[in-house]
Amino acid sequence: ISSSKFSRELAAIGKFYGWQQRRGVVGSSPVAMRERELPSGETTSVPALRPKSVRSVRLKWLTPRAYRRWRDVGLCGYLADGTRDALWRGRNDGRNLAFSETLWSSGLRLREGGTLLLDELPQFEIETRYARGRLARAVAKGRGRDYWIHGRALKLIENYVITERAAAVRRAHREHRYDNLPDMKVVTKVDRSRRVHYTTRSGEQKITALDELASTDRMTFFIKGEDGLEPWMVWLTESGMPLPYRTWEAIFFEASKRCNAFGVDLYCHPHMLRHSFALRMLMTLI
């Protein structure tokens, strides 16, 4: 494991035993401590086994109000005073807003949210506030797991799928972008055991576990839609091709630059939305 991981676990163990020692449950903590002098001249106790190569990490998050301001100005083309920018020519507003709300309301990591497949989205129902979906092991960190997402985010995704995404697929058909892809796998069904049945470009029929589909694998799978073949991944480029999940970092960076240009001193990257989600949940539980 990494030195930072070791340091975090060591600190957690030390705090736990320190708590139990104060309660009188244990006589002493098994975590050996040493004195460390701070830049201010004061001294503090730190674990003796703490690795020296650990860099301090400052977690960052946005409050709900700050997030909405960053989202509206950076992604949706509003001005700092809340009015619409007449010069705004954003062509992917629906997609970008839906993705941002997905991370904000679910706490998904960038790779998890950025590689979602259409069949991995929970069914949207108006009366449902939160819906539960399932992440595959290959894209989740460590193991597959369930996730919860707000109904508002699902509605925004649904709107994106039937408008901007559908237009991108039609554009790809007109330009024959799907005709000569060397590695295309067409999904025929996903069974109850979460196994994907598909046909290769050469006509060979194969089966693979949905949990084993990594981010790069997912970009090669297609399904049969109303207008013909279309990518299985949710998020597409304007040309109708699967959007590599790392591209979202550049999209968020450009949104933050726009905020700065209009005097809104806010910066956000995708993982900040996961931290923000965790903070909101913590405050709710408290």
Side-chain angles (χ1 to χ4, degrees):
I1 62 175
S2 67
S3 57
S4 58
K5 171 72 171 177
F6 181 88
S7 182
R8 288 196 299 270
E9 298 296 328
L10 181 63
I13 294 171
K15 286 181 179 294
F16 174 76
Y17 275 97
W19 170 47
Q20 295 300 318
Q21 188 177 3
R22 290 191 299 273
R23 296 181 63 211
V25 178
V26 297
S28 62
S29 172
V31 180
M33 306 295 288
R34 64 178 177 84
E35 296 296 320
R36 177 189 175 192
E37 185 175 351
L38 300 175
S40 62
E42 300 177 349
T43 58
T44 185
S45 296
V46 296
L49 291 178
R50 184 179 186 273
K52 296 181 179 180
S53 58
V54 176
R55 295 186 303 170
S56 61
V57 177
R58 184 180 180 184
L59 298 181
K60 297 180 180 179
W61 56 80
L62 293 175
T63 64
R65 182 180 179 183
Y67 163 70
R68 289 191 296 268
R69 189 163 169 79
W70 174 86
R71 177 200 66 192
D72 292 347
V73 176
L75 293 178
C76 299
Y78 284 84
L79 299 174
D81 60 3
T83 59
R84 189 74 176 179
D85 183 0
L87 300 178
W88 173 253
R89 295 293 182 269
R91 297 186 299 272
N92 298 297
D93 299 24
R95 182 197 67 186
N96 297 347
L97 175 60
F99 180 78
S100 178
E101 288 293 316
T102 296
L103 298 194
W104 172 258
S105 72
S106 66
L108 291 176
R109 297 178 176 86
L110 172 58
R111 184 175 63 180
E112 295 167 348
T115 60
L116 283 173
L117 303 172
L118 291 172
D119 285 84
E120 290 178 321
L121 293 173
Q123 189 69 31
F124 172 71
E125 297 178 2
I126 297 177
E127 65 275 9
T128 301
R129 188 174 183 185
Y130 275 90
R132 183 172 66 180
R134 180 73 181 176
L135 291 174
R137 182 172 59 249
V139 294
K141 188 174 181 180
R143 59 184 177 82
R145 60 178 174 85
D146 290 346
Y147 71 96
W148 291 86
I149 183 172
H150 200 283
R152 167 180 160 78
L154 286 177
K155 182 60 178 177
L156 289 171
I157 294 174
E158 182 181 67
N159 291 342
Y160 160 65
V161 168
I162 64 178
T163 55
E164 289 181 16
R165 189 182 188 279
V169 170
R170 289 193 296 269
R171 189 178 301 114
H173 281 300
R174 290 196 301 269
E175 298 173 359
H176 305 285
R177 291 184 179 273
Y178 304 148
D179 294 350
N180 299 313
L181 294 177
D183 187 15
M184 174 185 282
K185 306 175 184 70
V186 180
V187 178
T188 54
K189 71 173 182 177
V190 180
D191 61 31
R192 292 185 176 182
S193 300
R194 291 174 55 82
R195 296 183 305 172
V196 182
H197 299 248
Y198 66 93
T199 304
T200 65
R201 173 68 80 178
S202 60
E204 187 178 1
Q205 296 182 351
K206 293 186 176 182
I207 301 176
T208 188
L210 179 58
D211 278 330
E212 300 301 322
L213 296 182
S215 58
T216 52
D217 299 324
R218 290 163 173 251
M219 298 179 70
T220 65
F221 278 84
F222 284 69
I223 59 173
K224 293 181 179 179
E226 296 181 359
D227 300 321
L229 292 178
E230 63 181 73
W232 200 13
M233 283 179 57
V234 174
W235 314 111
L236 305 183
T237 65
E238 284 187 84
S239 62
M241 300 301 292
L243 183 71
Y245 75 91
R246 287 292 186 188
T247 305
W248 286 109
E249 294 177 331
I251 294 172
F252 274 52
F253 178 74
E254 289 301 320
S256 298
K257 280 179 59 178
R258 173 177 163 82
C259 286
N260 185 261
F262 283 93
V264 178
D265 188 20
L266 290 171
Y267 172 80
C268 180
H269 57 77
H271 204 65
M272 280 180 66
L273 298 186
R274 177 172 171 81
H275 293 165
S276 304
F277 171 83
L279 179 63
R280 296 199 320 278
M281 292 301 102
L282 175 61
M283 295 306 297
T284 301
L285 290 171
I286 290 175

